[in-house]
Amino acid sequence: MIRNGSHAVEEEDKGESRSSSHSPEKRKRVIRVWCDGCYDMVHYGHSNQLRQAKAMGDYLVVGVHTDEEIAKHKGPPVFTQAERYKMIRAIKWVDEIVEGAPYVTTLETLDKYNCDFCVHGDDITLTVDGKDTYDEVKRMGRYRECKRTQGVSTTDLVGRMLLLTKSHHSNVDNAAYQLHTDNFGKGPKGHSPWTGVSQFLQTSQKIIQFASGKEPQPGDTIIYVAGAFDLFHIGHVDFLETVHKQAEKPYVIVGLHFDQEVNRYKGKNYPIMNIHERTLSVLACRYVSEVVIGAPYAVGKDLLDHFKVDLVCHGKTEVFPDADSTDPYAEPKKRGIFRILDSGNNLTTDDIVQRIIENRLQFEARNQKKEAKEMAVIEALKHKDDSLKAEAALAKN
């Protein structure tokens, strides 16, 4: 059970709370922070970058590139720009988004949106001709760096979908998995430290960073939803937004099923993301107040009474029976608190996997191209470092 505390969009979410607690004469200037990126197949690594960026200031502006810009510099995105814009808006640390942000970050962009500096992870982003997209802001001292989240990347997630094995999230050392990821994530000249596959290790500290821990308040409507929420995507966001709109003061609790349970009713290679990864993905959503990790599949009396649930919601997707063939929503239906919601978005995790499979060669080529550019930069930096060391040695002599 993890409390998220983002069930209401409060002044703190607008990035002004740090200033408003002081008297006018002591009130500090609001620090505006800029982040930008493709944000394709948004995952908890992206959310963690935005969380860290927000912590460096008061108000977070996020620029999202167009499909055309991404195709030019990297290759075709998995999600459309409209889908990517909405995904970023749903992350609770984001205060404002800029649609169609330029691929190369300049001082002009920062000044246009009154941002003090930009923040990016400790990897590298290159243009189509291999130039650092943050070169100008780095040189002018308006660049900050945050730690990249180990254990997840878009490349890795695509690899899991293409591998189609039930045990992929515990299979990093498996020979077949390594062979596939070697082909998918490596260029012709070696392995980039920014594109490779690593195993995510969940910690209590990471969960605490993502969860803000607010309790339900008097007058809140406790709404419970449950599911896999695998590859947390725009279909989930639209559903949770619809759930959030069911009450004036909603407190939305999301029950996440364990991996084995998800595989029982979904089959194939599901879930793509393990329970720890899915927990962080859901916690990052602004419409979610609390997460139950490893929720029972059947929404029974004990769960409803424990959380004092007022309403149980499910989307238009199929409801699979429990292992004993019973209806998992029998108890809320009996109490008259069960509601089927239509978010107007029929996108499913299956649909995303199909997008990847249908465009497999394009995505493999895109990532190998990215890998090759990164390796070229690494070689150039190494050569420069070696030259500086040689010059220093000569100067000593």
Side-chain angles (χ1 to χ4, degrees):
M1 181 177 74
I2 302 294
R3 290 190 176 86
N4 200 22
S6 59
H7 60 292
V9 180
E10 302 172 353
E11 284 305 305
E12 184 176 0
D13 291 332
K14 297 300 182 183
E16 297 171 357
S17 63
R18 302 182 191 189
S19 311
S20 58
S21 60
H22 300 292
S23 61
E25 60 272 17
K26 292 184 178 179
R27 186 175 300 150
K28 68 172 185 175
R29 184 176 64 83
V30 172
I31 303 299
R32 292 171 61 92
V33 181
W34 172 272
C35 281
D36 56 28
C38 303
Y39 300 107
D40 194 23
M41 284 188 63
V42 173
H43 50 68
Y44 60 91
H46 294 123
S47 300
N48 194 36
Q49 180 225 2
L50 297 174
R51 179 193 66 79
Q52 292 179 78
K54 178 64 176 284
M56 295 182 191
D58 303 294
Y59 190 90
L60 179 61
V61 183
V62 181
V64 184
H65 309 317
T66 63
D67 295 343
E68 183 180 2
E69 280 282 273
I70 296 171
K72 174 184 174 182
H73 293 280
K74 292 180 68 174
V78 178
F79 288 93
T80 68
Q81 58 198 44
E83 291 171 327
R84 292 182 290 107
Y85 297 154
K86 193 161 191 176
M87 279 299 296
I88 294 301
R89 282 194 178 95
I91 294 176
K92 64 184 180 181
W93 296 287
V94 175
D95 297 298
E96 178 184 338
I97 86 154
V98 173
E99 299 180 0
Y103 200 82
V104 176
T105 309
T106 63
L107 294 179
E108 181 183 359
T109 298
L110 296 188
D111 291 341
K112 180 179 180 180
Y113 297 100
N114 300 312
C115 290
D116 295 83
F117 54 85
C118 75
V119 176
H120 187 66
D122 55 356
D123 53 350
I124 192 166
T125 303
L126 304 171
T127 63
V128 66
D129 52 0
K131 294 179 181 177
D132 184 353
T133 58
Y134 296 100
D135 178 63
E136 180 177 321
V137 291
K138 284 179 179 178
R139 285 188 287 104
M140 300 306 294
R142 292 176 67 180
Y143 176 84
R144 304 287 186 275
E145 204 164 80
C146 63
K147 294 297 292 181
R148 181 183 178 275
T149 305
Q150 293 298 315
V152 65
S153 68
T154 302
T155 304
D156 176 32
L157 294 177
V158 171
R160 295 185 203 182
M161 285 181 265
L162 293 175
L163 189 60
L164 298 177
T165 173
K166 289 184 179 180
S167 57
H168 53 77
H169 17 71
S170 60
N171 220 24
V172 173
D173 295 325
N174 179 278
Y177 185 68
Q178 287 295 345
L179 177 62
H180 172 77
T181 56
D182 283 353
N183 290 336
F184 190 76
K186 279 188 178 179
K189 295 185 178 180
H191 181 69
S192 166
W194 301 306
T195 309
V197 177
S198 57
Q199 193 168 21
F200 172 70
L201 298 175
Q202 181 70 287
T203 64
S204 58
Q205 182 61 32
K206 185 61 64 186
I207 292 177
I208 289 168
Q209 289 170 343
F210 271 60
S212 43
K214 292 184 180 177
E215 301 272 358
Q217 300 301 307
D220 283 357
T221 299
I222 312 299
I223 308 176
Y224 182 79
V225 300
F229 291 90
D230 194 17
L231 284 178
F232 194 73
H233 55 72
I234 191 64
H236 296 133
V237 167
D238 282 337
F239 169 66
L240 290 171
E241 184 180 15
T242 303
V243 170
H244 195 268
K245 291 177 179 177
Q246 298 306 299
E248 186 177 338
K249 292 180 63 183
Y251 187 91
V252 179
I253 302 174
V254 175
L256 290 178
H257 301 141
F258 278 131
D259 299 340
Q260 296 90 336
E261 188 68 62
V262 175
N263 190 254
R264 177 188 69 78
Y265 63 81
K266 289 281 287 181
K268 300 178 186 176
N269 64 323
Y270 295 110
I272 302 295
M273 301 180 88
N274 67 38
I275 184 67
H276 305 300
E277 297 174 305
R278 293 185 282 120
T279 296
L280 294 185
S281 297
V282 174
L283 280 173
C285 180
R286 67 171 67 249
Y287 305 118
V288 177
S289 308
E290 186 171 15
V291 170
V292 180
I293 303 173
Y297 189 69
V299 184
K301 180 180 183 300
D302 290 344
L303 184 146
L304 296 175
D305 291 344
H306 178 79
F307 292 111
K308 298 180 174 58
V309 175
D310 299 301
L311 180 65
V312 176
C313 296
H314 188 80
K316 300 288 284 186
T317 55
E318 180 182 359
V319 177
F320 297 95
D322 204 348
D324 60 2
S325 300
T326 58
D327 181 357
Y329 292 108
E331 182 63 23
K333 287 177 180 177
K334 178 183 173 183
R335 298 187 184 196
I337 60 170
F338 181 72
R339 189 177 297 174
I340 293 285
L341 300 179
D342 185 358
S343 69
N345 188 334
N346 297 320
L347 184 72
T348 66
T349 303
D350 284 321
D351 296 331
I352 296 169
V353 172
Q354 285 306 309
R355 288 189 192 185
I356 295 295
I357 291 173
E358 288 168 8
N359 296 281
R360 173 176 181 158
L361 294 178
Q362 279 184 303
F363 291 123
E364 287 188 345
R366 182 184 84 173
N367 283 280
Q368 287 184 1
K369 178 181 175 183
K370 177 175 180 283
E371 182 84 14
K373 286 195 296 182
E374 289 172 354
M375 288 304 301
V377 170
I378 290 170
E379 288 298 320
L381 291 173
K382 184 177 182 298
H383 179 72
K384 182 179 179 181
D385 187 52
D386 290 344
S387 297
L388 290 173
K389 286 179 180 178
E391 289 176 8
L394 287 171
K396 284 183 180 180
N397 295 331

